[in-house]
mmCIF file of all heavy atoms in Angstrom:
data_model
loop_
_atom_site.group_PDB
_atom_site.id
_atom_site.type_symbol
_atom_site.label_atom_id
_atom_site.label_comp_id
_atom_site.label_asym_id
_atom_site.label_seq_id
_atom_site.Cartn_x
_atom_site.Cartn_y
_atom_site.Cartn_z
ATOM 1 N N ALA B 170 -29.632 144.730 112.999
ATOM 2 C CA ALA B 170 -28.295 144.268 113.243
ATOM 3 C C ALA B 170 -28.166 143.324 114.428
ATOM 4 O O ALA B 170 -29.115 143.349 115.242
ATOM 5 C CB ALA B 170 -27.302 145.420 113.424
ATOM 6 N N GLN B 171 -27.150 142.518 114.454
ATOM 7 C CA GLN B 171 -26.858 141.642 115.586
ATOM 8 C C GLN B 171 -25.849 142.334 116.500
ATOM 9 O O GLN B 171 -24.649 142.377 116.068
ATOM 10 C CB GLN B 171 -26.443 140.300 115.167
ATOM 11 C CG GLN B 171 -26.310 139.294 116.305
ATOM 12 C CD GLN B 171 -25.666 137.998 115.768
ATOM 13 O OE1 GLN B 171 -25.633 137.718 114.617
ATOM 14 N NE2 GLN B 171 -25.218 137.174 116.720
ATOM 15 N N PRO B 172 -26.191 142.888 117.648
ATOM 16 C CA PRO B 172 -25.216 143.596 118.478
ATOM 17 C C PRO B 172 -24.168 142.646 119.034
ATOM 18 O O PRO B 172 -24.535 141.551 119.559
ATOM 19 C CB PRO B 172 -26.048 144.186 119.603
ATOM 20 C CG PRO B 172 -27.471 143.969 119.269
ATOM 21 C CD PRO B 172 -27.520 142.829 118.277
ATOM 22 N N ILE B 173 -22.918 142.951 118.964
ATOM 23 C CA ILE B 173 -21.779 142.136 119.438
ATOM 24 C C ILE B 173 -20.944 142.963 120.365
ATOM 25 O O ILE B 173 -20.466 144.000 120.009
ATOM 26 C CB ILE B 173 -20.891 141.672 118.218
ATOM 27 C CG1 ILE B 173 -21.787 140.982 117.135
ATOM 28 C CG2 ILE B 173 -19.793 140.764 118.709
ATOM 29 C CD1 ILE B 173 -22.268 139.618 117.506
ATOM 30 N N ARG B 174 -20.721 142.423 121.630
ATOM 31 C CA ARG B 174 -19.895 143.108 122.569
ATOM 32 C C ARG B 174 -18.412 142.751 122.345
ATOM 33 O O ARG B 174 -17.822 142.036 123.075
ATOM 34 C CB ARG B 174 -20.319 142.713 124.002
ATOM 35 C CG ARG B 174 -21.141 143.717 124.721
ATOM 36 C CD ARG B 174 -20.605 145.138 124.928
ATOM 37 N NE ARG B 174 -19.322 145.206 125.549
ATOM 38 C CZ ARG B 174 -19.110 145.152 126.804
ATOM 39 N NH1 ARG B 174 -20.098 145.004 127.667
ATOM 40 N NH2 ARG B 174 -17.921 145.195 127.357
ATOM 41 N N GLU B 175 -17.907 143.241 121.253
ATOM 42 C CA GLU B 175 -16.452 143.117 121.004
ATOM 43 C C GLU B 175 -15.907 144.439 120.593
ATOM 44 O O GLU B 175 -16.637 145.329 120.187
ATOM 45 C CB GLU B 175 -16.172 142.071 119.873
ATOM 46 C CG GLU B 175 -16.475 140.658 120.313
ATOM 47 C CD GLU B 175 -16.361 139.625 119.191
ATOM 48 O OE1 GLU B 175 -15.899 139.955 118.092
ATOM 49 O OE2 GLU B 175 -16.835 138.476 119.441
ATOM 50 N N ARG B 176 -14.575 144.598 120.710
ATOM 51 C CA ARG B 176 -13.954 145.877 120.468
ATOM 52 C C ARG B 176 -13.971 146.246 118.990
ATOM 53 O O ARG B 176 -14.263 147.433 118.636
ATOM 54 C CB ARG B 176 -12.546 145.848 120.901
ATOM 55 C CG ARG B 176 -11.830 147.187 121.060
ATOM 56 C CD ARG B 176 -11.282 147.488 122.386
ATOM 57 N NE ARG B 176 -10.569 148.747 122.430
ATOM 58 C CZ ARG B 176 -11.064 149.823 123.072
ATOM 59 N NH1 ARG B 176 -12.221 149.781 123.700
ATOM 60 N NH2 ARG B 176 -10.396 150.953 123.089
ATOM 61 N N VAL B 177 -13.760 145.305 118.127
ATOM 62 C CA VAL B 177 -13.886 145.533 116.676
ATOM 63 C C VAL B 177 -14.617 144.390 116.094
ATOM 64 O O VAL B 177 -14.274 143.198 116.372
ATOM 65 C CB VAL B 177 -12.436 145.640 116.066
ATOM 66 C CG1 VAL B 177 -12.531 145.870 114.551
ATOM 67 C CG2 VAL B 177 -11.607 146.715 116.729
ATOM 68 N N VAL B 178 -15.619 144.639 115.279
ATOM 69 C CA VAL B 178 -16.408 143.618 114.668
ATOM 70 C C VAL B 178 -16.272 143.697 113.114
ATOM 71 O O VAL B 178 -16.629 144.764 112.564
ATOM 72 C CB VAL B 178 -17.848 143.636 115.114
ATOM 73 C CG1 VAL B 178 -18.714 142.648 114.357
ATOM 74 C CG2 VAL B 178 -17.963 143.389 116.644
ATOM 75 N N VAL B 179 -15.820 142.614 112.520
ATOM 76 C CA VAL B 179 -15.775 142.556 111.082
ATOM 77 C C VAL B 179 -16.820 141.552 110.567
ATOM 78 O O VAL B 179 -16.721 140.407 110.940
ATOM 79 C CB VAL B 179 -14.331 142.126 110.614
ATOM 80 C CG1 VAL B 179 -14.279 142.150 109.067
ATOM 81 C CG2 VAL B 179 -13.230 143.006 111.156
ATOM 82 N N ASP B 180 -17.750 141.998 109.764
ATOM 83 C CA ASP B 180 -18.722 141.073 109.142
ATOM 84 C C ASP B 180 -18.804 141.419 107.704
ATOM 85 O O ASP B 180 -19.372 142.460 107.333
ATOM 86 C CB ASP B 180 -20.082 141.224 109.829
ATOM 87 C CG ASP B 180 -21.046 140.225 109.271
ATOM 88 O OD1 ASP B 180 -20.726 139.438 108.333
ATOM 89 O OD2 ASP B 180 -22.243 140.169 109.738
ATOM 90 N N ARG B 181 -18.268 140.570 106.842
ATOM 91 C CA ARG B 181 -18.099 140.909 105.420
ATOM 92 C C ARG B 181 -17.417 142.273 105.306
ATOM 93 O O ARG B 181 -16.360 142.474 105.803
ATOM 94 C CB ARG B 181 -19.444 140.811 104.735
ATOM 95 C CG ARG B 181 -19.917 139.350 104.501
ATOM 96 C CD ARG B 181 -21.409 139.162 104.400
ATOM 97 N NE ARG B 181 -22.117 139.357 105.719
ATOM 98 C CZ ARG B 181 -23.418 139.424 105.925
ATOM 99 N NH1 ARG B 181 -24.229 139.369 104.826
ATOM 100 N NH2 ARG B 181 -23.929 139.512 107.094
ATOM 101 N N ASN B 182 -18.034 143.219 104.602
ATOM 102 C CA ASN B 182 -17.345 144.553 104.507
ATOM 103 C C ASN B 182 -17.827 145.561 105.495
ATOM 104 O O ASN B 182 -17.563 146.710 105.289
ATOM 105 C CB ASN B 182 -17.464 145.070 103.075
ATOM 106 C CG ASN B 182 -18.803 145.663 102.784
ATOM 107 O OD1 ASN B 182 -19.817 145.297 103.421
ATOM 108 N ND2 ASN B 182 -18.888 146.596 101.845
ATOM 109 N N ARG B 183 -18.535 145.108 106.493
ATOM 110 C CA ARG B 183 -18.861 146.094 107.590
ATOM 111 C C ARG B 183 -17.863 145.917 108.710
ATOM 112 O O ARG B 183 -17.667 144.789 109.290
ATOM 113 C CB ARG B 183 -20.289 145.750 108.140
ATOM 114 C CG ARG B 183 -21.426 146.519 107.538
ATOM 115 C CD ARG B 183 -21.485 146.388 106.024
ATOM 116 N NE ARG B 183 -22.787 146.954 105.533
ATOM 117 C CZ ARG B 183 -23.131 147.029 104.292
ATOM 118 N NH1 ARG B 183 -22.273 146.602 103.357
ATOM 119 N NH2 ARG B 183 -24.284 147.492 103.900
ATOM 120 N N VAL B 184 -17.217 147.021 109.084
ATOM 121 C CA VAL B 184 -16.235 146.980 110.175
ATOM 122 C C VAL B 184 -16.608 148.070 111.173
ATOM 123 O O VAL B 184 -16.594 149.254 110.860
ATOM 124 C CB VAL B 184 -14.806 147.238 109.629
ATOM 125 C CG1 VAL B 184 -13.774 147.033 110.754
ATOM 126 C CG2 VAL B 184 -14.496 146.274 108.468
ATOM 127 N N THR B 185 -17.006 147.638 112.396
ATOM 128 C CA THR B 185 -17.422 148.570 113.370
ATOM 129 C C THR B 185 -16.547 148.488 114.584
ATOM 130 O O THR B 185 -16.126 147.406 114.979
ATOM 131 C CB THR B 185 -18.914 148.379 113.703
ATOM 132 O OG1 THR B 185 -19.164 146.971 113.993
ATOM 133 C CG2 THR B 185 -19.810 148.759 112.518
ATOM 134 N N GLY B 186 -16.387 149.649 115.285
ATOM 135 C CA GLY B 186 -15.560 149.669 116.487
ATOM 136 C C GLY B 186 -16.498 150.081 117.641
ATOM 137 O O GLY B 186 -17.549 150.690 117.466
ATOM 138 N N ALA B 187 -16.101 149.657 118.908
ATOM 139 C CA ALA B 187 -16.870 149.969 120.098
ATOM 140 C C ALA B 187 -16.680 151.495 120.489
ATOM 141 O O ALA B 187 -16.367 152.294 119.583
ATOM 142 C CB ALA B 187 -16.498 149.032 121.184
ATOM 143 N N GLY B 188 -16.837 151.811 121.746
ATOM 144 C CA GLY B 188 -16.795 153.231 122.133
ATOM 145 C C GLY B 188 -15.483 153.942 121.942
ATOM 146 O O GLY B 188 -14.440 153.430 122.275
ATOM 147 N N VAL B 189 -15.582 155.172 121.417
ATOM 148 C CA VAL B 189 -14.552 156.219 121.365
ATOM 149 C C VAL B 189 -13.101 155.671 121.032
ATOM 150 O O VAL B 189 -12.685 155.646 119.904
ATOM 151 C CB VAL B 189 -14.473 157.060 122.619
ATOM 152 C CG1 VAL B 189 -13.671 158.330 122.366
ATOM 153 C CG2 VAL B 189 -15.911 157.471 123.015
ATOM 154 N N THR B 190 -12.410 155.213 122.089
ATOM 155 C CA THR B 190 -11.002 154.849 121.966
ATOM 156 C C THR B 190 -10.800 153.565 121.146
ATOM 157 O O THR B 190 -9.676 153.247 120.746
ATOM 158 C CB THR B 190 -10.335 154.618 123.370
ATOM 159 O OG1 THR B 190 -11.161 153.699 124.074
ATOM 160 C CG2 THR B 190 -10.270 155.928 124.141
ATOM 161 N N ALA B 191 -11.875 152.769 120.931
ATOM 162 C CA ALA B 191 -11.828 151.624 120.136
ATOM 163 C C ALA B 191 -11.418 151.961 118.695
ATOM 164 O O ALA B 191 -11.005 151.082 117.932
ATOM 165 C CB ALA B 191 -13.114 150.809 120.106
ATOM 166 N N GLY B 192 -11.575 153.247 118.368
ATOM 167 C CA GLY B 192 -11.237 153.662 116.997
ATOM 168 C C GLY B 192 -9.848 153.335 116.554
ATOM 169 O O GLY B 192 -9.598 153.121 115.351
ATOM 170 N N ILE B 193 -8.916 153.359 117.499
ATOM 171 C CA ILE B 193 -7.483 153.092 117.146
ATOM 172 C C ILE B 193 -7.353 151.595 116.784
ATOM 173 O O ILE B 193 -6.764 151.246 115.780
ATOM 174 C CB ILE B 193 -6.586 153.562 118.264
ATOM 175 C CG1 ILE B 193 -6.708 155.078 118.443
ATOM 176 C CG2 ILE B 193 -5.139 153.198 117.920
ATOM 177 C CD1 ILE B 193 -6.010 155.559 119.719
ATOM 178 N N ASP B 194 -7.921 150.706 117.625
ATOM 179 C CA ASP B 194 -7.865 149.271 117.384
ATOM 180 C C ASP B 194 -8.603 148.950 116.075
ATOM 181 O O ASP B 194 -8.114 148.170 115.224
ATOM 182 C CB ASP B 194 -8.499 148.512 118.502
ATOM 183 C CG ASP B 194 -7.777 148.742 119.837
ATOM 184 O OD1 ASP B 194 -6.512 148.939 119.825
ATOM 185 O OD2 ASP B 194 -8.459 148.771 120.926
ATOM 186 N N PHE B 195 -9.719 149.635 115.912
ATOM 187 C CA PHE B 195 -10.569 149.474 114.669
ATOM 188 C C PHE B 195 -9.666 149.865 113.433
ATOM 189 O O PHE B 195 -9.678 149.082 112.452
ATOM 190 C CB PHE B 195 -11.768 150.370 114.777
ATOM 191 C CG PHE B 195 -12.307 150.905 113.510
ATOM 192 C CD1 PHE B 195 -13.289 150.175 112.767
ATOM 193 C CD2 PHE B 195 -11.885 152.170 113.032
ATOM 194 C CE1 PHE B 195 -13.764 150.693 111.598
ATOM 195 C CE2 PHE B 195 -12.354 152.627 111.836
ATOM 196 C CZ PHE B 195 -13.333 151.923 111.141
ATOM 197 N N ALA B 196 -9.047 150.982 113.453
ATOM 198 C CA ALA B 196 -8.336 151.480 112.268
ATOM 199 C C ALA B 196 -7.096 150.633 111.978
ATOM 200 O O ALA B 196 -6.763 150.452 110.736
ATOM 201 C CB ALA B 196 -7.973 152.906 112.474
ATOM 202 N N LEU B 197 -6.389 150.142 112.989
ATOM 203 C CA LEU B 197 -5.274 149.255 112.724
ATOM 204 C C LEU B 197 -5.714 147.939 112.130
ATOM 205 O O LEU B 197 -5.075 147.401 111.231
ATOM 206 C CB LEU B 197 -4.473 149.027 114.004
ATOM 207 C CG LEU B 197 -3.629 150.179 114.495
ATOM 208 C CD1 LEU B 197 -3.066 149.912 115.884
ATOM 209 C CD2 LEU B 197 -2.533 150.592 113.493
ATOM 210 N N THR B 198 -6.867 147.440 112.559
ATOM 211 C CA THR B 198 -7.477 146.244 111.978
ATOM 212 C C THR B 198 -7.786 146.478 110.525
ATOM 213 O O THR B 198 -7.489 145.684 109.623
ATOM 214 C CB THR B 198 -8.734 145.842 112.725
ATOM 215 O OG1 THR B 198 -8.416 145.606 114.113
ATOM 216 C CG2 THR B 198 -9.407 144.587 112.155
ATOM 217 N N LEU B 199 -8.437 147.605 110.203
ATOM 218 C CA LEU B 199 -8.823 147.926 108.858
ATOM 219 C C LEU B 199 -7.555 148.135 108.011
ATOM 220 O O LEU B 199 -7.544 147.742 106.738
ATOM 221 C CB LEU B 199 -9.689 149.207 108.890
ATOM 222 C CG LEU B 199 -10.533 149.510 107.625
ATOM 223 C CD1 LEU B 199 -11.279 148.313 107.173
ATOM 224 C CD2 LEU B 199 -11.495 150.657 107.961
ATOM 225 N N THR B 200 -6.533 148.736 108.561
ATOM 226 C CA THR B 200 -5.275 148.893 107.840
ATOM 227 C C THR B 200 -4.683 147.530 107.413
ATOM 228 O O THR B 200 -4.130 147.398 106.266
ATOM 229 C CB THR B 200 -4.222 149.663 108.649
ATOM 230 O OG1 THR B 200 -4.705 150.962 108.963
ATOM 231 C CG2 THR B 200 -2.865 149.751 107.986
ATOM 232 N N SER B 201 -4.802 146.541 108.290
ATOM 233 C CA SER B 201 -4.232 145.268 107.979
ATOM 234 C C SER B 201 -5.070 144.607 106.868
ATOM 235 O O SER B 201 -4.524 143.816 106.035
ATOM 236 C CB SER B 201 -4.160 144.353 109.190
ATOM 237 O OG SER B 201 -5.475 143.943 109.565
ATOM 238 N N LEU B 202 -6.374 144.973 106.758
ATOM 239 C CA LEU B 202 -7.235 144.449 105.678
ATOM 240 C C LEU B 202 -6.885 145.174 104.330
ATOM 241 O O LEU B 202 -6.856 144.536 103.296
ATOM 242 C CB LEU B 202 -8.678 144.615 106.018
ATOM 243 C CG LEU B 202 -9.199 143.772 107.201
ATOM 244 C CD1 LEU B 202 -10.631 144.208 107.576
ATOM 245 C CD2 LEU B 202 -9.107 142.304 106.914
#
Side-chain angles (χ1 to χ4, degrees):
Chain B
Q171 185 187 344
I173 306 288
R174 259 303 302 281
E175 288 173 13
R176 192 125 177 108
V177 180
V178 173
V179 182
D180 183 359
R181 286 156 284 173
N182 79 333
R183 267 55 168 179
V184 186
T185 50
V189 195
T190 53
I193 298 170
D194 300 326
F195 150 88
L197 287 172
T198 301
L199 197 47
T200 296
S201 72
L202 295 172

